[in-house]
Amino acid sequence: MSIFYHSIMKISSRERTHLSSLMLMLLCLQIYTKAQEDLAYKEIPVGVILDMGSSYPYSYSYSYSGVGKAVHSCITMAVSEFYMVNPHFQTRIILHHRDTHGDPLHALSAALDLLEKPKVQAIIGSESTAEAKFLAVLGDKARVPILSLSPCLSCNKHPYFLQVTQDENETTQFKGIAAMAESFRWKEVILICEDSDSGRDMTNTLQTKSILVTHRSLISTSWSNELLQEELHRLSTVQTKIFIMHASPSVASHLLVNAKHLGMMDEGYKWIITGKTMKFLNLLDDEVIESMQGAVGFKSYVPRSRDLHNFTSRWRRKYHVMVKLQEINSYALWVYDAVSALAMAVEQVEQLKRKDVDTTASELTQSQRGTTLLLNEMLSISFHGLGGAFQLRNGKINAAQVMEIVNVIDKGEKRVGFWTLDAGFTKNIGSLNNSVSDEGLEAIIWPKGGITTYPTHRMLQVSSKILRIAIPPKFGVGRVFQVKYDAETNSTVISGFCADVFRAAFKGLGRDISFQFIPFTGEDRIVNYNELIYGVYTGEFDAAVGDITITANRTLYVDFTLPYTDLGVGTLSRNAHAGIWIFMEPLSSDLWLVSASFFILLGFVIWILEHQTNKEFQGSSSQQIGTTLWFAFSTLVFAHRQKLQSNLSRFVVSVWLFVVLVLASSYTATLSSLFTIEQIRLASKGDLIGYRDGSFVQGDIVRNLNFKDTRLKPYYTSEEYADALSRGSKNGGVDAIIDEIPYLKGFLAQYPSGYSMVVSEVTTSGFGFAFPLGSPLVPELSRQISRLRENGSLAKLEKKWFKSDPHSKDSEPALKILNLKTCRGLFLISGVSMAVALSIFLFYFIHEKLHFTYTMLAGGKLAFIMRILNPKPVVELERR
């Protein structure tokens, strides 16, 4: 010290000043460093084990590894956003990621590695049940909390196993499926599941509703493709067509694709899929979603909130390109909340450690004690997150009490309602207090377009009810629909095709129901069908029957049965008056000329090939020309009698006869059509067109058939139709009538000769019976209409009311004639055959004139071929 003191005293005062300043700076730096050490964040390592993009093992090619990407993005955002909101926290979660490649053994290996090297304090992962089983045991051994994304059947036995995704409440879900089956009066179903415990619970729940599980198929993830197809083929032979599937997305994906290939997703089949698969719907492959069309699914309902909306927007901006998802599913939202809860728990544990620094004498190591405290803090945390209320009870988050019911349509899903234990099925649910309204479900579209409306409790009980039915006031004579007033009974009576179909369909229901038909009055003779439909909507009438067309706008107010008439509109016109040259019309002028030229060309080629050896083609010039032309044109009716000696001639004629056969057949068919129906090309002419007054067909003609309003004239009765057509456009009438097909069939039945109908386009949906929205009579009557169509009763009713003339046929409006462009291939084939034959003949002829012998040709090898093609000249040459 004395030496140091003397050394300082020896230096100058100026130097001592600089030295004091330097020592002061060092002291300040030491104080700042100490303060930073006191304020430093403590890093808490946390492991993340996910499948980041590999295909699912066990030979299944349909993976849902997109779950890993979505979950990873939410975990990263959760950590970043949590500490952005809470910058004062003295702990920071540090994530250590591992890829499982979709293999449970890889997941276990990754977990062991995380526990050994970074010594993580918690692990987030286990996307499958198999991974959950491994990690649950490992978590207990290492005393490290496992935040699992998948349930474990025996999670109660593993205290360190925490299921942080909302469990699809099997009790609520199974009861909802059983209630749906009971509502639709299903008596038998087939159950497909992965484990026997869930299958047993589902079976017991269905049995409480007197629903029999005819087959219970237990599908394993280790099954090969052949075993899965064999099991599905066995189920396809069973009479029951209703399937309930409770399986993981990987198994369900492969199963549904194979089911579609076997025709098990066709009309008549019904599939109910549980939330085990449905919560991953937006992560499945397009092929899988395509095979699920018409299926109905149950899944946990996540209420919408402003925070959820804002988070989804942020997530889309940051990750949608990488993850390739349109929407983030509830699965990833629950993980986001779990990471936030973990960050809260880590901070609480660190604060407890700082308050209690004298507990190192515990039997547990400091690390083990920390993980135990972390587990306790996780179990005590409760808050409202993006996915709803977050609170762990008995090692897992609260199960969903509200199930959302969706219908798989196109590339996504359509919500059809909700299910709760208290309220049952409902179309809407309150967002604040879970109040329910509008009981029942929206219409469900089953595979291949089968539609079912859920029968709610408040619907009409029609077993002994008098239905007040609105009808259009069609007084007078009519075959489609007719209304008469019966003075004796003081009642309205309906008749016609529509009335008979309605009675026949209701008769099949076997119900004692009376009808009160009420004519819906309109202005003058015009019936306002939209107002009639609105009367059913407001409850003024119980139904509407008559010539009522199904339109998209009307379906917003009422439910229609299946159509019982032909779809679309037709064109009615007078029959054609054939001219003396109508037989020339089937072929275009250029085709006539080319055909005649080829007939002459054929005769010339045959004359060249046969003239030297065939006596029938010899003689005077006039005789040779006559024989040649007769032979050529007689092939038109296959009446040629001249015997051909050259094989080249036979070859040419054989090809030509094929061309003649095709031309003659096409000519006959086209000429028959010309004699049957007059071709109508109204769109390109200025002819006037008639339509039914008061019908929406006027707008349909202008919108879909490209006609102008100035060319349209309204008519009302069949008599007016006939009078207008007989006078024509030039005499104050019209040249054609465009109307719905049932009306035109009724007209042709009344006027069986002189008129024809040409089907235009399917621009309308036919006639149907209208009922209030949600009426149980709609599916029942639709089923009866289908039966009437299948057993021929509907055809008999059409024959009864629309006995049309046999000359009146439906055909395409645009009849195409044959032209050279469509037949040029035939002439090309024939021309090539003639050219080949002439080339071979000229080759013979040149050799003959030059006195070559056939033995000089390729050592005599060509002599055999020439002898076959043209035998007589070959013999003469060889004699020389």
Side-chain angles (χ1 to χ4, degrees), residues 27 61 150 213 313 344 563 621 748 769 773 811:
L27 180 60
S61 59
S150 179
V213 178
S313 300
M344 297 178 192
S621 298
L748 293 174
F769 305 124
L773 293 172
S811 65

Side-chain angles (χ1 to χ4, degrees), residues 412-430:
E413 61 187 37
K414 174 190 174 184
R415 179 191 294 169
V416 295
F418 301 91
W419 161 259
T420 62
L421 289 175
D422 297 331
F425 290 106
T426 175
K427 297 177 183 178
N428 299 296
I429 190 166

Side-chain angles (χ1 to χ4, degrees), residues 812-823:
E812 293 297 327
L815 183 63
K816 296 182 180 179
I817 64 174
L818 299 177
N819 53 46
L820 179 60
K821 184 177 181 180
T822 58
C823 299

Side-chain angles (χ1 to χ4, degrees), residues 484-541:
K484 292 182 179 179
Y485 176 74
D486 190 348
E488 296 182 359
T489 60
N490 192 25
S491 62
T492 302
V493 181
I494 61 174
S495 61
F497 174 71
C498 299
D500 281 3
V501 173
F502 179 73
R503 292 192 182 95
F506 245 104
K507 184 178 180 181
L509 297 180
R511 295 184 178 181
D512 183 16
I513 301 177
S514 300
F515 307 117
Q516 180 184 0
F517 298 107
I518 305 173
F520 186 83
T521 57
E523 297 181 0
D524 300 329
R525 299 181 304 171
I526 300 176
V527 182
N528 194 323
Y529 286 88
N530 291 332
E531 292 184 5
L532 185 148
I533 292 298
Y534 190 74
V536 178
Y537 171 73
T538 58
E540 183 180 355
F541 306 106

Side-chain angles (χ1 to χ4, degrees), residues 53-202:
S54 61
S55 60
Y56 197 83
Y58 310 122
S59 74
Y60 287 133
S61 59
Y62 303 98
S63 70
Y64 61 111
S65 57
V67 176
K69 296 179 180 179
V71 170
H72 179 269
S73 65
C74 285
I75 291 176
T76 305
M77 285 190 66
V79 174
S80 174
E81 294 181 352
F82 181 84
Y83 291 116
M84 187 180 300
V85 177
N86 301 281
H88 59 281
F89 275 26
Q90 298 180 3
T91 56
R92 291 292 185 271
I93 290 179
I94 305 300
L95 301 176
H96 298 269
H97 304 278
R98 297 292 187 272
D99 192 351
T100 66
H101 303 288
D103 191 343
L105 293 179
H106 285 179
L108 179 60
S109 176
L112 291 172
D113 180 64
L114 289 171
L115 290 173
E116 181 179 356
K117 293 180 180 179
K119 294 184 179 181
V120 295
Q121 301 297 307
I123 295 177
I124 305 173
S126 73
E127 297 175 78
S128 65
T129 305
E131 293 180 11
K133 292 179 180 179
F134 287 138
L135 295 183
V137 177
L138 180 62
D140 290 346
K141 295 293 184 181
R143 296 187 178 181
V144 172
I146 304 296
L147 278 64
S148 175
L149 281 61
S150 179
C152 180
L153 297 179
S154 57
C155 62
N156 293 332
K157 300 179 182 179
H158 304 285
Y160 283 82
F161 183 86
L162 304 177
Q163 182 184 334
V164 295
T165 56
Q166 198 172 76
D167 191 10
E168 304 294 338
N169 193 327
E170 291 189 346
T171 301
T172 304
Q173 188 172 202
F174 291 175
K175 288 184 177 181
I177 294 174
M180 175 177 285
E182 181 185 30
S183 301
F184 291 140
R185 299 187 179 93
W186 296 340
K187 298 301 181 184
E188 297 178 348
V189 297
I190 296 176
L191 178 61
I192 302 176
C193 55
E194 285 186 83
D195 58 86
S196 57
D197 293 336
S198 298
R200 190 183 307 109
D201 294 341
M202 175 74 81

Side-chain angles (χ1 to χ4, degrees), residues 323-571:
V323 182
K324 297 181 180 180
L325 293 176
Q326 296 297 326
E327 289 287 343
I328 187 168
N329 66 347
S330 57
Y331 194 76
L333 297 178
W334 296 327
V335 176
Y336 182 97
D337 292 341
V339 173
S340 300
L342 179 61
M344 297 178 192
V346 166
E347 181 69 15
Q348 292 293 332
V349 169
E350 186 62 23
Q351 291 180 5
L352 290 175
K353 286 182 179 180
R354 293 191 178 191
K355 291 180 180 180
D356 188 10
V357 295
D358 297 329
T359 57
T360 55
S362 173
E363 296 180 358
L364 298 176
T365 64
Q366 186 66 30
S367 176
Q368 291 176 335
R369 179 180 179 275
T371 55
T372 303
L373 290 174
L374 181 61
L375 174 64
N376 295 333
E377 288 298 326
M378 283 291 297
L379 295 175
S380 63
I381 288 178
S382 175
F383 66 99
H384 190 83
L386 297 178
F390 183 94
Q391 184 176 11
L392 294 169
R393 292 181 179 178
N394 299 323
K396 58 183 179 181
I397 201 170
N398 289 338
Q401 300 300 321
V402 180
M403 305 302 300
E404 184 179 5
I405 306 171
V406 296
N407 194 186
V408 181
I409 299 175
D410 295 331
K411 294 185 178 181
E413 61 187 37
K414 174 190 174 184
R415 179 191 294 169
V416 295
F418 301 91
W419 161 259
T420 62
L421 289 175
D422 297 331
F425 290 106
T426 175
K427 297 177 183 178
N428 299 296
I429 190 166
S431 58
L432 298 177
N433 54 6
N434 289 343
S435 62
V436 294
S437 61
D438 296 335
E439 63 177 346
L441 298 176
E442 301 288 350
I444 296 173
I445 302 177
W446 297 104
K448 299 297 182 181
I451 302 177
T452 302
T453 303
Y454 178 80
T456 62
H457 297 295
R458 62 183 176 87
M459 289 182 179
L460 297 176
Q461 301 297 324
V462 295
S463 58
S464 60
K465 181 180 175 64
I466 298 178
L467 294 181
R468 302 177 72 253
I469 299 178
I471 57 175
K474 296 267 183 163
F475 295 99
V477 179
R479 295 177 179 270
V480 178
F481 188 72
Q482 180 182 354
V483 179
K484 292 182 179 179
Y485 176 74
D486 190 348
E488 296 182 359
T489 60
N490 192 25
S491 62
T492 302
V493 181
I494 61 174
S495 61
F497 174 71
C498 299
D500 281 3
V501 173
F502 179 73
R503 292 192 182 95
F506 245 104
K507 184 178 180 181
L509 297 180
R511 295 184 178 181
D512 183 16
I513 301 177
S514 300
F515 307 117
Q516 180 184 0
F517 298 107
I518 305 173
F520 186 83
T521 57
E523 297 181 0
D524 300 329
R525 299 181 304 171
I526 300 176
V527 182
N528 194 323
Y529 286 88
N530 291 332
E531 292 184 5
L532 185 148
I533 292 298
Y534 190 74
V536 178
Y537 171 73
T538 58
E540 183 180 355
F541 306 106
D542 297 324
V545 173
D547 51 345
I548 304 172
T549 305
I550 302 172
T551 65
N553 182 62
R554 292 172 183 174
T555 57
L556 299 176
Y557 301 95
V558 296
D559 284 342
F560 282 98
T561 62
L562 289 178
Y564 55 88
T565 60
D566 296 324
L567 308 183
V569 296
T571 303

Side-chain angles (χ1 to χ4, degrees), residues 117 125 223 228 263 426 463 650 706 717-718 756 776 782 839:
K117 293 180 180 179
W223 277 23
L228 190 60
T426 175
S463 58
R650 295 167 184 166
N706 300 321
T717 64
S718 298
S756 299
S782 297
S839 300

